[in-house]
Amino acid sequence: MDILKNIYLSFNFIKNNSLFDNDINLISLVFKIFIFYLFIKLNISKVFIYFKNFINKSINKENRKILLFFISLIFFNILIYNLSDILPNDLLKNIFKKEFNIVATSNINITFSFSIISFLIINYLSIKKNGISNFILYFLKNPIKKKYMFFFNFIIEFISFVMKPISLSLRLFGNIFSSEIIFNLINNMNIFFNILLNLLWGIFHYLVLPLQAYIFTTLITIYVSQSLKH
């Protein structure tokens, strides 16, 4: 377990993880190009149409374009990072003689980066529509619109406000990280259970990978919709 913590929970990401090395960047770039090629072959426009229809139902016209661009970008980045788990990690380690984890979303630094950027976009759209004064007053006047409850309201709403980016990042990280731990545990079993459980868990795991990208972008849209109604 300590080994897994050192690999996946290291905050000293640049120093201890070789993901930023040129050769790993090259692998990542080639893989991204390959995945985008597959998306184009499978008619990528269907994904944008789905996002557009979903946004049109919940977001006002003024903010639709920027949100469509942002969640499409986030969705495909997370999806590609998740699908990089398909690459043979152990084989790449042997080729480059290095220890690295190519699944970026199993590192908490990456998932927090996605959530913080999303959090800034959410609050930018909210301030743009409602103004900075109304944005701040929301923390004081909700959920109870009484002056003597302002301090209580602020505590509740501020905790909720801070928990949004944390929950976004930990949800994505936790699902990918836990799945990687299970694969590591299965690999320590005998050959029969190794093959059987890897097959069973692998089927479930590769269904979860695109689902996590969808959940992340759906939550962003919901948070934006809520913030614009403040």
Side-chain angles (χ1 to χ4, degrees):
M1 188 57 70
D2 288 336
I3 294 173
L4 292 173
K5 286 180 181 178
N6 290 334
I7 295 173
Y8 298 110
L9 286 172
S10 172
F11 282 89
N12 197 2
F13 186 66
I14 296 178
K15 181 179 178 182
N16 294 332
N17 197 313
S18 299
L19 192 62
F20 292 103
D21 287 354
N22 290 331
D23 45 11
I24 307 306
N25 275 328
L26 181 60
I27 293 172
S28 177
L29 178 61
V30 171
F31 186 68
K32 283 183 178 182
I33 293 171
F34 174 70
I35 293 295
F36 271 116
Y37 174 76
L38 288 180
F39 285 148
I40 292 168
K41 282 290 186 182
L42 295 171
N43 196 350
I44 196 173
S45 62
K46 291 181 180 179
V47 177
F48 289 106
I49 291 170
Y50 170 79
F51 283 141
K52 184 179 179 181
N53 292 336
F54 181 59
I55 289 171
N56 288 346
K57 292 177 183 178
S58 53
I59 307 296
N60 58 41
K61 289 183 178 181
E62 185 181 353
N63 299 300
R64 285 175 185 171
K65 287 184 179 180
I66 185 173
L67 187 61
L68 176 61
F69 170 78
F70 179 71
I71 68 169
S72 300
L73 183 65
I74 288 287
F75 175 80
F76 285 112
N77 268 284
I78 293 176
L79 182 60
I80 289 169
Y81 284 139
N82 286 351
L83 292 179
S84 65
D85 204 20
I86 297 172
L87 295 173
N89 203 30
D90 290 335
L91 178 62
L92 294 174
K93 287 179 183 179
N94 292 330
I95 291 173
F96 295 108
K97 308 296 182 183
K98 293 176 182 178
E99 286 294 323
F100 60 86
N101 176 38
I102 203 164
V103 187
T105 44
S106 67
N107 189 292
I108 200 167
N109 302 278
I110 299 297
T111 60
F112 260 106
S113 298
F114 279 129
S115 68
I116 290 170
I117 293 169
S118 303
F119 189 59
L120 292 174
I121 290 291
I122 291 167
N123 289 301
Y124 164 75
L125 293 176
S126 179
I127 293 171
K128 181 183 175 183
K129 181 179 183 294
N130 302 311
I132 187 67
S133 58
N134 290 329
F135 179 80
I136 295 171
L137 285 173
Y138 177 83
F139 290 90
L140 302 176
K141 293 185 176 181
N142 289 280
I144 304 171
K145 300 183 184 295
K146 299 290 183 181
K147 288 184 179 180
Y148 60 84
M149 295 299 293
F150 279 6
F151 181 71
F152 178 73
N153 288 341
F154 178 79
I155 293 173
I156 293 175
E157 289 301 322
F158 185 75
I159 292 172
S160 175
F161 180 76
V162 171
M163 286 305 297
K164 285 180 180 178
I166 295 175
S167 64
L168 273 175
S169 61
L170 292 182
R171 181 181 286 105
L172 177 58
F173 163 74
N175 280 283
I176 306 301
F177 175 58
S178 60
S179 191
E180 293 295 315
I181 289 178
I182 292 172
F183 275 124
N184 275 276
L185 293 174
I186 291 173
N187 288 335
N188 290 323
M189 298 181 179
N190 63 54
I191 188 169
F192 173 75
F193 286 108
N194 194 322
I195 295 171
L196 177 63
L197 294 178
N198 260 308
L199 178 62
L200 293 175
W201 183 249
I203 293 170
F204 174 76
H205 176 67
Y206 293 121
L207 290 174
V208 167
L209 294 178
L211 181 62
Q212 291 306 313
Y214 169 75
I215 291 172
F216 195 95
T217 50
T218 300
L219 286 173
I220 292 173
T221 307
I222 292 171
Y223 288 156
V224 170
S225 177
Q226 290 173 346
S227 67
L228 293 179
K229 291 176 183 178
H230 288 174

